[in-house]
Amino acid sequence: IGLMQALAIAGATQISSALHGVIDPILSYLPNVIGAALIFGIFIIIANVVRETLKAVLVFGDGMPERFGLATGRVNISGIVASVAFAVLVIIGAIMAFDVLAIEAISAPANELLTDIIGIIPNVLAAGVILAIFVLIGRFVANLVLKTLPGTGVDSAVSELGLLKG
């Protein structure tokens, strides 16, 4: 800016007007960049707080897969849910920052991505619940068959016929 003032005083108006034409758009766009950085920074802080809170609150669920017979050890459910929530919040923050930058080529596809992510969450949750229910039903049926088969003698008949020999 000082260089442009010196050029204007020296009478080099063509050079100073050319520099004004280059620097003015950059300086006028600077508030958008600062705003986008602030929004993204705030969302990073919020996402970290949400992640740590979810880890602390959902830690009781880490033993549930083992209790239901779905796993042999503890599963880090709290960490998985916390990481997914963190990622979603960071994506939302990035999209909001892109909106502040007003670059349509980035913000329009990013908004569509956010809409797709939010639209798929209920389907993923429903699929998880249905899968868990069918795993439990499968384990119940397997235990039922294992307990009733020896009493009927079907297992010994199959072995006597030699159907299971490799």
Side-chain angles (χ1 to χ4, degrees), residues 6 82 86 100 107 110 166:
F86 175 81
V100 169
S107 62

Side-chain angles (χ1 to χ4, degrees), residues 4 12 15 22 27 34 36 48 54 66 68 82 105 121 131 141 150 156-157 163:
M4 291 188 301
I15 296 172
V22 170
L27 292 178
I34 292 171
N48 279 321
L54 283 174
E66 184 179 20
F68 288 126
I121 288 174
L131 181 64
V141 170
S156 61
L163 295 176

Side-chain angles (χ1 to χ4, degrees), residues 61 63-72 77 132 135-136 139-140 143:
M64 292 182 78
E66 184 179 20
R67 204 173 318 143
F68 288 126
L70 300 175
T72 56
I77 291 178
V135 166
L136 292 174
R139 288 192 184 261
F140 171 75
N143 285 335

Side-chain angles (χ1 to χ4, degrees), residues 152-166:
T152 62
V154 173
D155 59 340
S156 61
V158 170
S159 64
E160 287 175 11
L161 290 173
L163 295 176
L164 295 179
K165 291 184 181 175

Side-chain angles (χ1 to χ4, degrees), residues 40-62:
F40 189 68
I42 289 170
F43 265 91
I44 291 290
I45 292 169
I46 291 171
N48 279 321
V49 169
V50 167
R51 178 177 56 191
E52 296 304 319
T53 303
L54 283 174
K55 277 185 188 177
V57 170
L58 298 178
V59 74
F60 72 89
D62 288 348

Side-chain angles (χ1 to χ4, degrees), residues 1-24:
I1 297 176
L3 176 64
M4 291 188 301
Q5 294 296 331
L7 288 172
I9 291 172
T13 56
Q14 289 179 337
I15 296 172
S16 68
S17 65
L19 283 175
H20 272 293
V22 170
I23 292 178
D24 284 346

